[in-house]
Amino acid sequence: MCGITATRPCPIRCYSNGFGEKRLGFAGTVAKDAQRSQFLKISRPFLQEEFPKLSMRAAFKGRGIQMALADERLLQRRAVVKPADILAYDLVQGADVTWSYILGRSVPEPPTAVLLHGILGSRKNWGTFARRLAKEYPKWQFLLVDLRCHGDSASIKKQGPHTVAAAALDVLKLLGQLRLTPRVVVGHSFGGKVALSMVEQAAKPLARPVRVWVLDATPGKVRAGGDGEDHPAELIAFLSKLPDEVYSKRDIVDALVQEGFSKDVAQWVVTNLRQSGPPGLPSSRFSWAFDLKGISEMYKSYEETNMWKLVEDVPRGVHVNFLKAERSLHRWALEDLQRIHAAEEQAVEEGGGVEMHVLEDAGHWVHADNPDGLFKILSFSFQGF
């Protein structure tokens, strides 16, 4: 039995995993007030114990519920997964999602979307957007992940090499751990190639149709912007020269702007700073919430990874959507656009799907620059449930 702080026992049921394999699940109960909430957010930073134990903490605030899952493990001892294999995540659930769906196979699990950030980002980049989606589509749940070397996953030691494929496998393992089968995977920039790699590494054919969104990233060569625009490789190189601990976020913003980076990028970068020092005590020091050496490897892999083979031979049941920002940080070569349009025609003939979209009035950070436009484009993936 798992240790669950709820009003009823926690029965174990078998149902399908990841991209369609079998797995075991657990069932808990949530107070009826949860049905009136706009969304349910489940945070899972780390695993700490050797054997399964699930503790729930529900905090009611207005019409919303926040539930934190800690010490979460597989519910069979023979399937124990080491903490180093599990990424940090948030699970934002719509008001119509309940835990009762795993009580039996007759009731389908709620549709799940995975949201992946880019280089030097974190799952928090998607927080506001995910809550908006959960409010509009209350039957859905949205899994926000800190990729390896980023955010709260940075303290989880991952073996190298740190590549697009390794990051994708991490997410697949997390889906298996959570017994979730995604219907939609959305990846921004580096996260877009991670999403494609997830499909490539999953069993084919997939158990159910999956829509993949690649936001402002091409399948192949990464072409940095022109003069006067921010270059991620140069940003990573500059950050590597900074101390591990700093005393002022404003000083870092000023230093980045002075180096030639835009103020928007500088302010975004310092969201990776966390107060350091003894817990519960005020601190004037900040430390970086990422593994910059690992991130440098990941960005190099992002530049070198070529996913054109998958795009030009899309597995049956997969629909790949590319979204180009009108003011993209990266250059979309005419060759890239022509190959994507050719893949569109080929995919239709073979039962797959490829589609190209353009988000107007947006730079590379599409979910911040034009969230309304992005919401409108993505919305059709969540309709019909």
Side-chain angles (χ1 to χ4, degrees):
M1 286 290 288
C2 61
I4 201 169
T5 50
T7 58
R8 298 178 185 175
C10 178
I12 298 176
R13 295 290 184 267
C14 184
Y15 59 110
S16 64
N17 141 25
F19 277 96
E21 300 174 2
K22 280 191 174 182
R23 77 264 187 186
L24 293 175
F26 59 86
T29 58
V30 178
K32 291 182 179 179
D33 289 344
Q35 297 174 1
R36 298 194 298 271
S37 67
Q38 292 180 351
F39 63 88
L40 176 65
K41 176 184 174 184
I42 300 170
S43 296
R44 157 47 184 92
F46 304 106
L47 301 178
Q48 298 174 345
E49 296 190 359
E50 179 62 24
F51 294 110
K53 182 177 180 182
L54 176 65
S55 62
M56 294 184 177
R57 183 173 66 251
F60 293 83
K61 186 176 182 181
R63 297 183 61 202
I65 292 178
Q66 287 203 341
M67 176 182 266
L69 290 178
D71 302 333
E72 180 184 5
R73 303 308 301 268
L74 285 176
L75 299 181
Q76 279 195 323
R77 296 192 176 190
R78 66 183 182 183
V80 169
V81 178
K82 293 182 180 180
D85 292 333
I86 306 303
L87 299 173
Y89 68 86
D90 289 337
L91 185 62
V92 179
Q93 296 181 321
D96 293 347
V97 177
T98 69
W99 289 86
S100 62
Y101 72 89
I102 53 178
L103 288 173
R105 295 186 184 181
S106 59
V107 180
E109 66 179 84
T112 301
V114 180
L115 304 181
L116 305 173
H117 62 80
I119 285 290
L120 291 172
S122 74
R123 69 188 192 274
K124 298 184 185 301
N125 297 157
W126 281 111
T128 300
F129 198 85
R131 290 189 289 273
R132 180 177 176 181
L133 285 169
K135 183 177 180 180
E136 183 70 20
Y137 302 103
K139 294 183 179 180
W140 280 77
Q141 59 186 12
F142 302 87
L143 181 67
L144 287 57
V145 181
D146 277 346
L147 298 175
R148 62 165 57 203
C149 303
H150 291 76
D152 290 331
S153 293
S155 61
I156 303 172
K157 299 304 179 184
K158 291 285 187 180
Q159 291 186 346
H162 300 297
T163 63
V164 169
L169 183 58
D170 291 343
V171 180
L172 289 172
K173 288 180 178 179
L174 175 62
L175 287 168
Q177 170 75 5
L178 298 179
R179 292 89 172 165
L180 295 178
T181 305
R183 292 180 180 269
V184 174
V185 183
V186 182
H188 174 239
S189 195
F190 176 89
K193 279 192 177 178
V194 171
L196 292 174
S197 183
M198 287 171 61
V199 173
E200 184 179 55
Q201 295 183 58
K204 303 174 186 178
L206 300 183
R208 60 179 49 168
V210 175
R211 285 191 174 274
V212 176
W213 285 89
V214 182
L215 306 183
D216 210 36
T218 61
K221 183 178 180 181
V222 176
R223 299 174 175 87
D227 294 337
E229 296 180 319
D230 295 308
H231 292 236
E234 295 176 1
L235 177 59
I236 293 170
F238 180 75
L239 291 175
S240 67
K241 301 175 184 178
L242 299 178
D244 293 335
E245 285 194 330
V246 300
Y247 293 91
S248 168
K249 291 185 178 182
R250 180 174 293 181
D251 287 348
I252 299 301
V253 170
D254 292 342
L256 286 163
V257 171
Q258 186 175 359
E259 188 68 15
F261 297 101
S262 69
K263 189 171 183 179
D264 286 344
V265 167
Q267 291 175 334
W268 165 70
V269 166
V270 297
T271 63
N272 285 290
L273 286 170
R274 304 284 188 272
Q275 281 194 328
S276 56
L281 296 178
S283 172
S284 60
R285 294 178 299 167
F286 300 88
S287 57
W288 295 102
F290 49 51
D291 172 1
L292 199 58
K293 183 177 179 181
I295 287 175
S296 180
E297 290 183 41
M298 293 171 76
Y299 187 75
K300 183 177 180 181
S301 171
Y302 172 58
E303 290 186 313
E304 296 174 349
T305 298
N306 190 320
M307 301 301 301
W308 277 113
K309 183 177 180 181
L310 175 75
V311 174
E312 293 174 338
D313 186 17
V314 180
R316 183 172 297 274
V318 177
H319 193 109
V320 179
N321 296 269
F322 289 94
L323 183 142
K324 175 188 178 298
E326 186 179 35
R327 303 190 309 273
S328 176
L329 175 68
H330 304 296
R331 291 199 302 269
W332 286 69
L334 179 60
E335 174 192 353
D336 295 334
L337 299 175
Q338 289 174 337
R339 288 185 73 174
I340 290 174
H341 287 308
E344 284 184 88
E345 299 175 3
Q346 182 71 16
V348 170
E349 297 177 4
E350 298 181 358
V354 177
E355 196 168 349
M356 185 74 193
H357 310 260
V358 176
L359 180 61
E360 298 178 351
D361 193 27
H364 183 61
W365 285 271
V366 290
H367 40 327
D369 291 345
N370 187 359
D372 292 340
L374 180 62
F375 188 89
K376 184 176 180 180
I377 291 175
L378 292 181
S379 286
F380 78 89
S381 291
F382 307 108
Q383 296 169 356
F385 291 90

